[in-house]
Amino acid sequence: MKSKFEYNKTAITEFILLGLVETPDLRPVVFVVFLLSYLLTVGGNLSILAAILVETKLHTPMYFFLGNLSVLDVGCITVTIPSMLARLLSHKRTVPYGACLTQLFFFHLLVGVDCFLLTAMAYDRFLAICQPLTYSTRMSQTVQRILVAVSWALAFTNALTHTVAISTLNFCGPNVINHFYCDLPQLFQLSCSSTQLNELLLFAVGFIMAGTPLALIVTSYAHVTAAVLRIRSAEGRKKAFSTCGSHLTVVAIFYGSGIFNYMRLGSAKLSDKDKAFGIFNTVINPMLNPIIYSLRNPDVQGALWRVLMGRRPLA
């Protein structure tokens, strides 16, 4: 009798994604809700991007990074939601092995870039508030492009590493994934070979990919807070903190949901709670970002209004 470790990894050629609900009567409701969420997210983020492109007042490093973040948010939700909607329409829940790994790769690529871009934005706020005299030279257009390029390179390496590592595992037993997209914890549960090295790799690389940027963000804002508290006028302190509040909110949501999503790795059974965290990562985060960045920002609000009304930007 063959050991379970001797099966070829292509013994399973497709997976079955159970999706968000198994009750047929609820599927049309889920389809409408997530279709509207997808359209709202894409529309909101593209509107932010358009406002940044056409409004000369927003041609600054902070909004350059925000424009890139908007593109990433569109990408993150597009990697997962349209395929889920297609399965709801077709009543077909299977996804090929290769398509599952492809989705995994692009999801981790875009989330990785998101992580590093949030760090670049924190560094931008640090330079603007703590080093204002050298800000224009230390955050030049060349530096901005280098930061974005490095973010993509590091995220690509991370996504490729996890995709190659998961492709070495054997899948020869159950192929049912209790989720609406392919991700590492769910695939680890289905593997019939040892995932210990993969889990160690996830934690080790995760520490570098998420822990290091988070430490840099905390350090940047520690310096920012110290610098702002030295400002004597209350109005000056309020103005300085107002430019950081939106970014800190996005960082808290991004890292909070990400940590909860992967902290249960290795648990005996993945539950519907993981779907909830998955919705937060793939839908709610990208949908909230345009709202958070425009809520208390009159420059963005004005630019968005002119874009939506088809008016020319102010000179």
Side-chain angles (χ1 to χ4, degrees):
M1 181 178 178
K2 286 187 177 181
S3 166
K4 64 179 180 179
F5 299 105
E6 294 176 4
Y7 284 91
N8 190 289
K9 66 172 179 282
T10 57
I12 286 181
T13 59
E14 62 183 18
F15 296 102
I16 298 173
L17 289 170
L18 294 182
L20 290 172
V21 292
E22 295 186 51
T23 307
D25 292 342
L26 290 178
R27 288 173 189 166
V29 178
V30 171
F31 178 86
V32 172
V33 169
F34 278 84
L35 176 61
L36 292 176
S37 299
Y38 177 74
L39 295 176
L40 181 63
T41 301
V42 172
N45 280 285
L46 291 183
S47 296
I48 290 282
L49 181 61
I52 292 170
L53 291 174
V54 304
E55 184 68 51
T56 54
K57 281 200 301 184
L58 302 183
H59 291 175
T60 64
M62 181 174 70
Y63 292 110
F64 171 76
F65 293 127
L66 178 57
N68 280 273
L69 195 65
S70 295
V71 173
L72 287 173
D73 286 338
V74 172
C76 281
I77 195 170
T78 300
V79 164
T80 55
I81 299 306
S83 58
M84 183 195 80
L85 295 176
R87 285 191 295 273
L88 285 171
L89 275 181
S90 64
H91 303 289
K92 182 181 178 183
R93 298 190 292 179
T94 58
V95 56
Y97 174 86
C100 189
L101 294 195
T102 300
Q103 185 181 60
L104 173 77
F105 170 79
F106 281 105
F107 179 72
H108 281 268
L109 171 66
L110 295 169
V111 170
V113 180
D114 210 330
C115 185
F116 286 112
L117 271 185
L118 290 174
T119 309
M121 294 173 78
Y123 177 61
D124 171 73
R125 292 299 83 205
F126 163 74
L127 291 180
I129 295 173
C130 300
Q131 309 285 338
L133 297 179
T134 58
Y135 175 67
S136 59
T137 54
R138 297 178 69 177
M139 190 51 77
S140 63
Q141 287 190 351
T142 302
V143 173
Q144 295 168 42
R145 290 172 184 144
I146 289 173
L147 287 173
V148 171
V150 170
S151 298
W152 277 97
L154 292 174
F156 177 84
T157 303
N158 171 65
L160 186 63
T161 299
H162 287 307
T163 306
V164 171
I166 200 76
S167 69
T168 64
L169 296 179
N170 297 327
F171 295 96
C172 50
N175 66 336
V176 178
I177 298 176
N178 186 24
H179 215 298
F180 63 96
Y181 67 94
C182 296
D183 202 4
L184 292 171
Q186 289 74 31
L187 291 176
F188 287 166
Q189 291 290 316
L190 294 181
S191 174
C192 54
S193 54
S194 174
T195 62
Q196 185 176 4
L197 289 178
N198 296 76
E199 292 180 15
L200 288 174
L201 179 66
L202 178 61
F203 282 116
V205 176
F207 180 79
I208 298 171
M209 289 288 298
T212 303
L214 183 59
L216 292 174
I217 292 172
V218 171
T219 302
S220 295
Y221 276 108
H223 284 90
V224 166
T225 303
V228 171
L229 291 177
R230 288 195 294 267
I231 299 175
R232 293 185 178 181
S233 71
E235 187 65 28
R237 287 195 298 269
K238 182 180 178 181
K239 184 177 180 181
F241 273 129
S242 67
T243 63
C244 305
S246 299
H247 179 250
L248 281 173
T249 303
V250 171
V251 168
I253 294 173
F254 177 82
Y255 276 97
S257 60
I259 289 170
F260 278 110
N261 192 38
Y262 291 100
M263 70 183 298
R264 296 181 65 249
L265 190 65
S267 61
K269 185 178 180 181
L270 295 171
S271 69
D272 288 341
K273 291 181 181 179
D274 300 279
K275 295 182 184 181
F277 290 128
I279 293 171
F280 220 94
N281 286 327
T282 61
V283 180
I284 296 178
N285 279 359
M287 186 167 56
L288 285 179
N289 285 353
I291 300 172
I292 292 171
Y293 279 110
S294 61
L295 193 62
R296 297 178 62 185
N297 192 319
D299 290 335
V300 173
Q301 289 176 5
L304 280 172
W305 181 253
R306 284 187 285 276
V307 167
L308 294 175
M309 294 295 104
R311 298 176 182 175
R312 289 186 177 184
L314 298 176

